[in-house]
Amino acid sequence: MSSAPLRLIPPFTAATARQKVKVAQSLWNTRDPQKVVQAYTPNSVWRNRSLFFAGHSSIRQFLQQNWARENS
């Protein structure tokens, strides 16, 4: 088995869409922001209530702050 990261990119079939969701779920379950951002494109735009932010570094920073607050 290859150690290269799985690259699931559009267009998706029903099977590859399910596979992408499973990969994203596994990454979220690690609660590691560095791993979670891998499930998203580098130019992803997120919204959290009134905050909007884009890109891996902004998403990573948001997750780190959010999870630190939840764990304190």
Side-chain angles (χ1 to χ4, degrees), residues 5-67:
L6 186 58
R7 299 284 299 165
L8 297 169
I9 55 174
F12 297 111
T13 64
T16 58
R18 278 191 298 278
Q19 190 176 13
K20 180 162 177 57
V21 168
K22 293 290 187 185
V23 168
Q25 288 173 332
S26 293
L27 293 172
W28 270 95
N29 288 339
T30 68
R31 292 186 63 99
D32 179 347
Q34 185 64 36
K35 291 181 180 178
V36 172
V37 297
Q38 295 175 28
Y40 299 91
T41 60
N43 60 347
S44 290
V45 177
W46 280 26
R47 175 180 180 257
N48 182 44
R49 297 188 180 121
S50 63
L51 299 174
F52 290 85
F53 42 96
H56 280 180
S57 63
S58 296
I59 293 169
R60 188 179 311 106
Q61 181 180 8
F62 168 76
L63 292 173
Q64 288 168 335
Q65 292 171 348
N66 192 47
W67 287 335

